[in-house]
Amino acid sequence: MKKLIVLLSIFIPLFFFIACRHEPVLPDEQVSFTAQVQPIIRGSCQHSGCHDTLSTSQDHRVIDSYEDMMADNRIVPGKPHSSQIYIDITASSGEDMMPTVAYPRLTSEQIKLIYIWILQGAKNN
């Protein structure tokens, strides 16, 4: 009987921990690509040698329009953690970290806005 109690005291909390999944709470307002996301990208990513109009490198192509953002699975609508842009702006070190060390990082509010936009379906609005 003691073994049963010990096992239950271990497995019941573990079960609730594993089974408890929280869906993110989305705001009622739709995040606007044109008014909110695009200005962040333009101000933070289009530096000389990065994602500006003069860049010719495959890794540093310009990101200016909605089509640029959606190209090459940079954004997977509804899935921020599968979207390369979100992965890059949340990286804390390494080659994938964007913007690079030479430029200021996005604020937590900017990152949250991009996250919500992607989670809401990354609409061209």
Side-chain angles (χ1 to χ4, degrees), residues 66-118:
Y66 179 79
E67 291 74 22
D68 294 335
M69 291 281 287
M70 301 307 287
D72 302 325
N73 289 327
R74 287 181 176 151
I75 301 291
V76 180
K79 298 181 179 183
H81 296 285
S82 298
S83 300
Q84 193 58 50
I85 287 178
Y86 183 77
I87 293 167
D88 291 346
I89 64 173
T90 56
S92 58
S93 63
E95 292 178 15
D96 291 336
M97 189 175 87
M98 297 291 161
T100 60
V101 177
Y103 299 102
R105 302 283 294 154
L106 272 66
T107 66
S108 59
E109 283 300 313
Q110 290 171 319
I111 292 170
K112 180 180 174 183
L113 200 63
I114 292 170
Y115 176 85
I116 293 170
W117 174 71
I118 295 169

Side-chain angles (χ1 to χ4, degrees), residues 11-24:
F11 286 111
I12 289 176
L14 183 62
F15 171 76
F16 283 107
F17 178 75
I18 292 170
C20 186
R21 304 272 181 188
H22 296 281
E23 291 298 319

Side-chain angles (χ1 to χ4, degrees), residues 34-89:
T34 305
Q36 296 170 287
V37 175
Q38 193 172 30
I40 294 170
I41 300 301
R42 284 184 173 162
S44 301
C45 305
Q46 294 182 344
H47 302 291
S48 177
C50 291
H51 298 284
D52 62 342
T53 55
L54 302 175
S55 297
T56 56
S57 165
Q58 181 73 10
D59 293 334
H60 293 109
R61 287 188 314 244
V62 68
I63 301 176
D64 187 47
S65 67
Y66 179 79
E67 291 74 22
D68 294 335
M69 291 281 287
M70 301 307 287
D72 302 325
N73 289 327
R74 287 181 176 151
I75 301 291
V76 180
K79 298 181 179 183
H81 296 285
S82 298
S83 300
Q84 193 58 50
I85 287 178
Y86 183 77
I87 293 167
D88 291 346
I89 64 173

Side-chain angles (χ1 to χ4, degrees), residues 24-42:
V25 177
L26 295 176
D28 293 332
E29 261 182 57
Q30 183 74 32
V31 174
S32 168
F33 172 74
T34 305
Q36 296 170 287
V37 175
Q38 193 172 30
I40 294 170
I41 300 301
R42 284 184 173 162

